[in-house]
Amino acid sequence: MDTSEVRLDWLRAFLAVVETGGFTAAAARLHLSQPALHTQVKQLAGWAGPLYRFEGRTLRLTPRGQEVEVLAREVLGAVDRFAARATGKVATVPVVSAGRALQLYVLAHALRGWSGPLSLRTEDRPATVEAVRSGRAHLGLTSLLEADPELDGTRVLEVGQVAIVPEHDPLAQRRHIRARALAGRPLILPPAGRTHRATLAAALGGDLHVAVEVDGWELMTHYASLGLGLTVVNAYIPTPPGTVAVPVVDLPRLQVHLIKRKRAPVIAEVAALEAHVRKHLAHGTGAGRR
């Protein structure tokens, strides 16, 4: 493979296709005709190997395409940072991916005092991990279910799980409970297939009575406050008025990690943000139950 053959416009064309999900939107973004864009991506594929396939209307990267995406972001990022230094502009805007609840109740507190530019992506756990792997995000805040060989992760928060119950419920008088205390009670849970729901089902031995199925911690606690059922959430989620958060001692504790891609280029702005977030999370975010 002759490295002198690859061109920056090929890499920019490929990233535009990846980020927009297709050639029509990518061509519009780059102000190119679709034939010209196809030619550039085809030339890159001739140099690197097959980059993608379409499953219906969805573009899926091949393993080689995923490697080229990372390469393209690193190469173009280095070029852009070099050019920015000559003009005195900010070279890189750090990108952080995290779920909505983690942003609201953990990350937002850790970002206090940060004065530089910042881009936040709101994504679930799998999307956050993929964003960091691919280089679309420099950092991610999420729970890692297992070690990832492509990522460096530092545990920055560990919290338990709590049952949200009406303040007049007998369970509200307990200092803590075991999961079996929720057996047969009407529960507000995320959709089937979610890890949280599966964990609770296992703890209850399958004795799971779903009163409301809804996606999102805030909605789960909101419907609990309306008396539609009990719910179980991570302990950093605020407790709605009229309810009590009771620790569930035999459910797994959530470990939140600050993640970044291994062997990623050291970027001053990203390193400064990482240090800022680590410092504030280490000192306590102020997140927790109200």
Side-chain angles (χ1 to χ4, degrees):
M1 179 181 290
D2 186 352
T3 56
S4 67
E5 293 179 357
V6 69
R7 291 171 34 174
L8 296 183
D9 57 345
W10 297 354
L11 298 177
R12 292 193 191 279
F14 178 59
L15 281 188
V17 171
V18 171
E19 291 174 354
T20 62
F23 284 84
T24 302
R29 174 192 286 190
L30 297 175
H31 305 290
L32 291 174
S33 67
Q34 287 195 50
L37 179 63
H38 274 282
T39 296
Q40 290 183 350
V41 175
K42 183 177 180 180
Q43 289 170 319
L44 180 62
W47 175 77
L51 301 175
Y52 64 90
R53 64 183 183 275
F54 277 100
E55 297 177 359
R57 294 179 177 271
T58 303
L59 183 140
R60 303 289 188 193
L61 295 184
T62 63
R64 189 62 165 171
Q66 293 173 348
E67 293 177 348
V68 172
E69 180 186 3
V70 172
L71 173 68
R73 293 187 187 281
E74 289 185 353
V75 170
L76 295 174
V79 170
D80 291 344
R81 288 192 295 274
F82 180 83
R85 285 197 295 270
T87 62
K89 297 180 179 178
V90 174
T92 300
V93 175
V95 180
V96 183
S97 175
R100 174 180 168 81
L102 278 173
Q103 287 196 42
L104 282 171
Y105 307 120
V106 179
L107 184 59
H109 297 276
L111 289 174
R112 286 177 175 170
W114 175 254
S115 58
L118 178 66
S119 177
L120 295 171
R121 298 171 61 109
T122 304
E123 299 172 304
D124 62 12
R125 181 194 301 116
T128 290
V129 170
E130 181 55 32
V132 176
R133 279 183 185 152
S134 67
R136 294 170 211 154
H138 300 104
L139 301 171
L141 191 67
T142 190
S143 56
L144 287 179
L145 301 182
E146 57 186 16
D148 190 309
E150 298 181 35
L151 301 176
D152 280 327
T154 301
R155 188 179 68 188
V156 293
L157 178 68
E158 181 174 333
V159 295
Q161 299 186 53
V162 295
I164 304 297
V165 303
E167 56 189 9
H168 54 75
D169 191 286
L171 292 180
Q173 309 306 315
R174 306 270 291 275
R175 294 182 59 185
H176 53 75
I177 61 173
R178 301 183 71 83
R180 287 294 301 174
L182 302 174
R185 300 292 301 272
L187 297 177
I188 302 166
L189 297 174
R194 299 295 179 87
T195 301
H196 179 70
R197 178 163 167 169
T199 300
L200 191 56
L204 294 179
D207 189 4
L208 202 68
H209 175 52
V210 182
V212 178
E213 184 177 275
V214 66
D215 196 9
W217 301 114
E218 292 170 300
L219 288 175
M220 290 165 62
T221 58
H222 175 66
Y223 290 125
S225 72
L226 297 179
L228 300 184
L230 314 183
T231 193
V232 176
V233 298
N234 297 324
Y236 61 78
I237 304 298
T239 306
T243 66
V244 174
V246 183
V248 186
V249 294
D250 57 340
L251 289 179
R253 294 177 64 81
L254 176 74
Q255 296 186 353
V256 178
H257 294 78
L258 186 64
I259 61 174
K260 61 183 180 180
R261 187 166 55 82
K262 288 182 177 178
R263 298 175 295 279
V266 177
I267 302 171
E269 295 85 353
V270 175
L273 176 63
E274 180 183 2
H276 180 92
V277 171
R278 285 176 183 269
K279 176 182 177 181
H280 284 74
L281 288 177
H283 292 166
T285 64
R289 303 193 304 277
R290 286 199 292 254

